[in-house]
Amino acid sequence: VQLQASGGGLVQPGGSLRLSCAASGLTLDYYATAWFRQAPGKEREGVSCISASFDEATDYADSVKGRFTISRDNAKNTVYLQMNSLKPEDTGVYYCATDTVNYCSGYTAARAWGYWGQGTLVTVSS
């Protein structure tokens, strides 16, 4: 199983980015997928999660609710994270993660996920 995260970059406060997590070796719509981020000097934190397609529930960290949207494109075997109204505190390396689980309960525990993408850097700065 390989996950390829992409879409990061430098953006001004208030701007938007869309991150992508493309998978090979596993069909993402069968399982839950999460996004994490890690700021310099801080622990990795769970940002958002989408459950398997038959459920399609989503969950968000309080810090990103109303600004970030997680979604999937089953035809492309890809999960996205649309990030709007970005703030400097959103800066960090963003990782996608998945495993053979269907639901997002407890998704913020990094140890719950066995497959990780390589990370994509998001920098929010003026």
Side-chain angles (χ1 to χ4, degrees):
V1 176
Q2 288 190 328
L3 299 179
Q4 181 72 37
S6 62
L10 173 64
V11 63
Q12 292 187 340
S16 297
L17 283 174
R18 188 179 77 160
L19 306 183
S20 299
C21 177
S24 59
L26 182 143
T27 303
L28 285 182
D29 65 321
Y30 294 169
Y31 306 108
T33 301
W35 284 97
F36 285 75
R37 68 185 178 190
Q38 188 164 20
K42 294 188 176 181
E43 292 187 357
R44 194 170 296 190
E45 64 168 339
V47 173
S48 182
C49 181
I50 186 166
S51 63
S53 290
F54 69 84
D55 183 63
E56 207 74 0
T58 58
D59 201 358
Y60 299 92
D62 287 344
S63 59
V64 307
K65 280 181 182 175
R67 300 188 297 122
F68 290 12
T69 303
I70 191 169
S71 63
R72 59 157 47 92
D73 184 332
N74 293 337
K76 296 183 178 180
N77 205 23
T78 298
V79 170
Y80 301 101
L81 186 68
Q82 178 67 43
M83 306 187 297
N84 298 330
S85 302
L86 282 162
K87 304 175 181 180
E89 52 263 44
D90 294 318
T91 294
V93 179
Y94 282 69
Y95 301 88
C96 57
T98 193
D99 210 317
T100 52
V101 295
N102 296 137
Y103 301 102
C104 291
S105 58
Y107 83 92
T108 58
R111 64 182 182 274
W113 305 94
Y115 304 111
W116 291 83
Q118 84 287 3
T120 184
L121 177 62
V122 172
T123 303
V124 185
S125 175
S126 54

